[in-house]
Amino acid sequence: EIVLTQSPGTLSLSPGERATLSCRASQSVSSSYLAWYQQKPGQAPRLLIYGASTRATGIPDRFSGSGSGTDFTLTIRRLEPEDSAVYYCQQYGNSLWTFGQGTKVEIK
Amino acid sequence: QVQLQDSGPGLVKPSQTLSLTCTVSGGSISSGGYYWSWIRQHPGKGLEWIGNIYYSGSTYYNPSLKSRVTISIDTSKNQFSLKLSSVTAADTAVYYCARGRSGPRDFDYWGQGTLVTVSS
């Protein structure tokens, strides 16, 4: 089973700043099968990025994904108050789907 | 617009079977290119994939839950279901149904989630 480790656990930033979230895999992940989700309190997760770098429908271009192999990054430019949420990475490999433990983004 | 609505008891007794159903609207559950999934989230914790089913009936389960999980599909009702047997307090969680996409292997539509508490 591929384990995804996200860092940092919590990110506290001001509006307008850039957030950089990391997702590291215990073994190589196909870039085609790496996704990012945003979850706000009391809500279901929302798909942000799939295929490591493709934004899902309706996602602002402030959100971008990159990476390959075992290291992937979600970048949020020009943070807005509504970006306050927990962000999860997710991968597929060997008929198993796994999620990272999440990074909480707090807006000061 | 695809919508998923999960439903089922919010309270289950220990050792009993948890049963949830997800009703899909705005699209056919028999459409190719998708799978239908259950994912859970323990209180204050991260997401745990439980399993998937394809319209053909093929299933994939999380090995850690495989011995207790059954996911089934009813194409005539546009529904799919989860059964988790022999539940304990450790199965207390919010259970989400979701639609997965076969290409990117992600989850693009989610139900609102049902909190299931295991308690006597």
Side-chain angles (χ1 to χ4, degrees):
Chain A
E1 175 184 322
I2 297 176
V3 176
L4 299 178
T5 301
Q6 293 186 240
S7 61
T10 302
L11 207 47
S12 185
L13 296 166
S14 299
E17 290 191 305
R18 174 193 299 245
T20 303
L21 287 65
S22 172
C23 176
R24 181 160 291 176
S26 59
Q27 54 187 281
S28 186
V29 171
S30 169
S31 296
S32 299
Y33 302 147
L34 193 288
W36 290 91
Y37 300 83
Q38 176 192 65
Q39 186 179 34
K40 296 181 179 181
Q43 296 185 16
R46 177 174 71 146
L47 178 65
L48 294 177
I49 300 286
Y50 64 92
S53 61
T54 302
R55 278 186 299 277
T57 303
I59 301 303
D61 61 6
R62 300 185 296 104
F63 292 87
S64 63
S66 63
S68 64
T70 59
D71 289 296
F72 298 88
T73 300
L74 175 69
T75 301
I76 313 171
R77 293 181 292 115
R78 302 188 307 274
L79 277 167
E80 297 184 3
E82 62 261 31
D83 298 332
S84 179
V86 178
Y87 294 82
Y88 295 95
C89 57
Q90 170 254 312
Q91 70 83 37
Y92 164 82
N94 296 325
S95 301
L96 297 176
W97 285 256
T98 58
F99 292 87
Q101 83 279 17
T103 289
K104 184 176 184 178
V105 174
E106 297 178 338
I107 310 299
K108 296 177 184 176
Chain B
Q1 176 80 344
V2 172
Q3 291 188 316
L4 289 83
Q5 177 73 46
D6 43 56
S7 59
L11 181 63
V12 181
K13 289 182 167 49
S15 79
Q16 294 190 342
T17 296
L18 177 161
S19 296
L20 295 172
T21 296
C22 186
T23 301
V24 179
S25 59
S28 172
I29 205 169
S30 299
S31 296
Y34 303 106
Y35 47 87
W36 306 93
S37 306
W38 290 96
I39 294 158
R40 71 181 182 178
Q41 186 169 36
H42 293 103
K45 302 297 184 183
L47 301 163
E48 179 181 29
W49 170 70
I50 298 171
N52 301 336
I53 189 166
Y54 292 75
Y55 77 90
S56 63
S58 298
T59 53
Y60 293 89
Y61 297 138
N62 186 325
S64 68
L65 297 168
K66 187 174 183 177
S67 63
R68 298 193 292 130
V69 172
T70 301
I71 297 176
S72 58
I73 194 166
D74 187 337
T75 55
S76 67
K77 295 182 179 179
N78 232 33
Q79 293 178 335
F80 63 106
S81 298
L82 168 70
K83 289 189 186 300
L84 181 65
S85 64
S86 305
V87 297
T88 69
D91 295 309
T92 293
V94 175
Y95 287 77
Y96 293 101
C97 58
R99 187 182 83 167
R101 300 190 297 175
S102 296
R105 305 290 203 275
D106 59 15
F107 305 98
D108 62 344
Y109 286 97
W110 297 64
Q112 82 283 2
T114 295
L115 173 61
V116 179
T117 302
V118 179
S119 175
S120 56

